[in-house]
Amino acid sequence: MVCMENIKQLCYDNKIILAPMVRINTLPMRLLALDYGADIVYTEELIDHRLIRCYRKVNETLQSIDYIDKSDATVVFRTCSREKAYVVLQIGTSDPERAAKAAQVVEQDVAGIDINMGCPKDFSLKGGMGAALLFNPDKACAILSAVVSAVKIPVTCKIRVLEDIDDTVALCKKLAATGVAAIGVHGRIIKERPIHPNRNHFIKAISEALNIPVIANGGSKEIKAFEDIIKFKNVTGCSSVMIARTAEKNCSIFKKDGKLDLFTVIRDYLHHAVDYDNVAPNSKYCIQNMLQNIQETEQGRLFLESTSLQQICDLWELGDYCRQKQKKMNYLRFEERDVACNDQKRIKQSSADEEESNYVNSLKCMYIRSLYPRPEDLPKTKLLNWAKKHNKPLPKYHTEQFEKLFKSTVTFDNQKYSSSFWEKNKRWAEQGSAIVCLHYLKVYDIDYMKINGILG
């Protein structure tokens, strides 16, 4: 086997790897896999268009590197020094030029680039990405060649097999000729799912035909313990093994001395989720995939009802740890949102013109969902009840949109109130304006807002 190993480059030979999984392979899961013994960790698939839209930010608060979508301040990719030498970013693409450009955007912060050529989902297929590239080998090779030429780090691709073994081997030879460092092979065709057997003999044939590392994937049904990883490697004759579903259920499969109990794994995961400010829906999704039928327990039921990372952490005895960390992180969100749009001057001028022509009581404050666990605690609900109690006209909201961000103004008792902080959706923007109004009504004081990280 030829292994592209030197001081700077990642080696794909004789490795155990966390396979790319949509919504699973965010930073907390990748770090957890490294903690437990994985040699390489792949990101979830990130679409080229989104990566090209990103700007790079050194996040001093989290000690991370963030790639943030300029249009809505969404963190598309977050990484850190701990994983830099081991993380491979997977790109979803159908165009050589875009693929190369996206790879260059993140090149300095990852160890490798992978091109997704195996995803069977409709979204990928209709866009000419993922497994669609298997049936357009000229384009597949053009994409790989473009990326290999564009970056100085190793480039790989991950495929599914074709129905014919000889056709699959021939395709892999073409892909290998582009200069890729390794090829990952999922041993199922596009229409097959985990219930179907993995075509291990296809992977073995590819391994024997290529002189670059071949990474076997699709064996999770056969992998229940660490020893099974080695068996799968031997059966496929491959250089390395890539694990998806088994790792998704219990990431400690990478531990040579045996798996840990799920309670411990979830706590370890949550530590990383809190430390790197992972969004609650993503953290909940990852834990839900770990729990499986345990969701039927009392703790599982409470977990399913949770809506914030704090509530999830409370269930695993990490609530105080989460609260302390998140207060610091709220200030970071103000800074990120301030540069969310390409034309900040236009936003500021728009707001200034509005306030000059029609005076608005304004503060820069953020709506933080976790601060309002009960429906009656929500700022809009609290303001509505205040109006009814004091026999005032009901509040009316007007919301403006700039690209993917929103700012709302509430008119109440002949006065207007608004937050200068642009939110990611209309509902949150309305809640933000209600917070400002409640402050002027002396329901929320400045100390309350500062302590909870609401005020920017």
Side-chain angles (χ1 to χ4, degrees):
M1 289 291 177
V2 175
C3 182
M4 298 177 62
E5 184 170 32
N6 56 41
I7 295 175
K8 295 183 179 180
Q9 289 199 315
L10 187 63
C11 173
Y12 291 86
D13 197 19
N14 197 29
K15 297 294 189 290
I16 299 175
I17 301 167
L18 177 68
M21 293 177 283
V22 174
R23 295 182 65 191
I24 297 293
N25 286 32
T26 47
L27 182 56
M29 186 62 75
R30 300 196 304 266
L31 292 177
L32 190 66
L34 291 174
D35 290 345
Y36 291 153
D39 298 306
I40 299 172
V41 291
Y42 277 54
T43 70
E44 61 179 336
E45 177 191 39
L46 299 173
I47 305 303
D48 53 9
H49 286 290
R50 291 205 76 193
L51 287 171
I52 292 168
R53 274 204 311 267
C54 288
Y55 70 92
R56 180 181 186 271
K57 175 183 174 62
V58 178
N59 188 327
E60 300 291 353
T61 303
L62 302 182
Q63 295 295 296
S64 66
I65 302 294
D66 297 346
Y67 285 84
I68 302 173
D69 190 324
K70 296 174 185 176
S71 69
D72 63 3
T74 300
V75 178
V76 175
F77 173 55
R78 172 166 286 159
T79 186
C80 65
S81 59
R82 164 80 173 90
E83 70 167 1
K84 183 174 182 179
Y86 314 101
V87 64
V88 176
L89 186 142
Q90 187 181 71
I91 297 176
T93 186
S94 61
D95 180 79
E97 185 177 348
R98 282 201 313 271
K101 189 173 181 180
Q104 288 174 327
V105 168
V106 297
E107 177 183 7
Q108 64 185 305
D109 294 307
V110 298
I113 295 291
D114 183 76
I115 302 301
N116 185 348
M117 297 185 177
C119 181
K121 303 294 185 183
D122 285 344
F123 170 79
S124 290
L125 297 179
K126 289 177 181 177
M129 302 183 295
L133 292 171
L134 300 177
F135 304 100
N136 194 341
D138 289 342
K139 178 180 281 189
C141 289
I143 289 171
L144 292 177
S145 295
V147 179
V148 168
S149 299
V151 298
K152 296 179 181 178
I153 55 177
V155 177
T156 61
C157 62
K158 183 173 182 288
I159 70 167
R160 282 190 170 231
V161 297
L162 304 176
E163 292 194 35
D164 181 82
I165 191 168
D166 292 331
D167 290 343
T168 306
V169 171
L171 173 64
C172 288
K173 287 181 177 179
K174 288 182 181 179
L175 299 176
T178 64
V180 292
I183 295 179
V185 182
H186 184 129
R188 294 182 178 87
I189 62 175
I190 291 179
K191 65 183 180 182
E192 291 177 333
R193 295 297 176 261
I195 60 170
H196 298 100
N198 204 50
R199 303 184 185 208
N200 294 338
H201 60 296
F202 276 52
I203 302 176
K204 187 175 179 63
I206 296 167
S207 299
E208 292 172 350
L210 301 187
N211 64 350
I212 59 173
V214 173
I215 307 166
N217 180 228
S220 280
K221 284 178 66 176
E222 308 161 35
I223 298 174
K224 307 300 180 186
F226 185 86
E227 298 75 32
D228 297 328
I229 300 174
I230 307 306
K231 292 178 184 176
F232 181 57
K233 182 177 184 293
N234 292 335
V235 166
T236 57
C238 64
S239 307
S240 298
V241 171
M242 182 179 275
I243 305 171
R245 293 181 183 274
T246 298
E248 171 185 283
K249 295 173 184 175
N250 188 326
C251 197
S252 64
I253 187 68
F254 294 106
K255 286 178 64 66
K256 293 181 180 179
D257 55 353
K259 291 192 293 186
L260 301 173
D261 67 276
L262 204 54
F263 187 93
T264 300
V265 173
I266 292 174
R267 277 179 59 89
D268 289 347
Y269 170 84
L270 282 171
H271 268 285
H272 288 310
V274 171
D275 287 346
Y276 288 98
D277 196 28
N278 202 51
V279 294
N282 179 255
S283 297
K284 185 174 182 178
Y285 179 80
C286 290
I287 294 172
Q288 198 166 355
N289 280 278
M290 298 182 208
L291 287 175
Q292 298 182 78
N293 59 357
I294 301 177
Q295 295 176 54
E296 304 299 324
T297 65
E298 177 65 15
Q299 186 177 28
R301 183 184 64 78
L302 292 172
F303 165 74
L304 291 176
E305 293 174 356
S306 65
T307 58
S308 70
L309 193 56
Q310 288 180 3
Q311 291 173 334
I312 297 171
C313 285
D314 281 331
L315 295 173
W316 275 274
E317 301 171 4
L318 289 171
D320 289 341
Y321 180 76
C322 180
R323 276 181 279 277
Q324 291 169 5
K325 285 277 188 177
Q326 289 205 326
K327 284 180 185 178
K328 298 178 182 178
M329 294 173 187
N330 285 338
Y331 295 105
L332 174 66
R333 294 185 177 89
F334 286 109
E335 183 182 346
E336 288 176 349
R337 202 64 55 82
D338 281 344
V339 292
C341 291
N342 295 325
D343 190 358
Q344 282 296 305
K345 292 181 181 179
R346 179 177 162 190
I347 286 185
K348 293 175 182 177
Q349 187 60 49
S350 172
S351 299
D353 291 346
E354 176 191 346
E355 293 183 20
E356 184 177 338
S357 61
N358 192 359
Y359 182 75
V360 178
N361 299 288
S362 181
L363 287 173
K364 186 177 183 180
C365 61
M366 181 196 316
Y367 171 65
I368 302 171
R369 179 66 181 88
S370 61
L371 295 178
Y372 315 99
R374 301 178 303 170
E376 59 267 30
D377 295 329
L378 293 169
K380 283 184 65 177
T381 304
K382 194 175 285 287
L383 177 58
L384 181 64
N385 290 336
W386 195 97
K388 292 177 179 178
K389 180 179 178 180
H390 293 84
N391 296 315
K392 298 289 186 180
L394 299 184
K396 295 182 179 179
Y397 296 87
H398 170 74
T399 303
E400 59 180 303
Q401 181 176 355
F402 180 84
E403 294 188 2
K404 295 182 180 180
L405 297 177
F406 299 82
K407 186 164 78 73
S408 183
T409 300
V410 59
T411 301
F412 180 68
D413 199 19
N414 296 318
Q415 295 286 319
K416 293 188 176 183
Y417 305 89
S418 181
S419 170
S420 60
F421 181 73
W422 290 71
E423 294 282 5
K424 291 186 179 181
N425 62 57
K426 180 181 177 182
R427 297 191 310 277
W428 288 16
E430 290 177 347
Q431 297 286 4
S433 64
I435 291 172
V436 177
C437 184
L438 289 166
H439 164 69
Y440 278 94
L441 294 174
K442 302 189 184 305
V443 177
Y444 295 148
D445 61 27
I446 289 292
D447 289 339
Y448 163 81
M449 297 168 79
K450 286 182 177 178
I451 288 171
N452 287 286
I454 296 172
L455 197 64

